[in-house]
Amino acid sequence: MMVSTTPARGTSQLCTVMADIGSVSAFPGIQAAMANAYGAPFKDDGKGEQFFAAPDHRYIDLASTGNNDRPSIRAAVVYVSRESK
């Protein structure tokens, strides 16, 4: 499932993708693929949630969701604008 928001003026745009995965053991491979594409995460909570910096001021929050019987992932992408002061 994909959810995208149209932001109100002055707020960040957000797109969230949620997907089932075949098994809990598939998640480390997804984390490795994200690290291969975007570099090492700048934050890792050690419990299955990592944050990556993507091009064009976008950040990706990758998280393991679901449970052992129905594992899934969530990837939320947010655009963070740069304000000049």
Side-chain angles (χ1 to χ4, degrees), residues 56-70:
D56 299 328
H57 312 293
R58 286 176 171 78
Y59 293 97
I60 303 167
D61 173 10
L62 175 67
S64 173
T65 57
N67 57 42
N68 287 337
D69 296 327
R70 296 191 63 194

Side-chain angles (χ1 to χ4, degrees), residues 16-21 27 30-31 34 43-45 47-52 60-66 71-77:
T16 303
V17 176
M18 294 170 277
D20 292 338
I21 56 176
F27 188 67
I30 296 167
Q31 288 175 306
M34 293 292 285
K43 183 177 180 186
D44 185 337
D45 75 352
K47 300 176 190 172
E49 188 166 15
Q50 294 180 323
F51 295 86
F52 297 89
I60 303 167
D61 173 10
L62 175 67
S64 173
T65 57
S72 58
I73 62 164
R74 179 192 73 233
V77 181

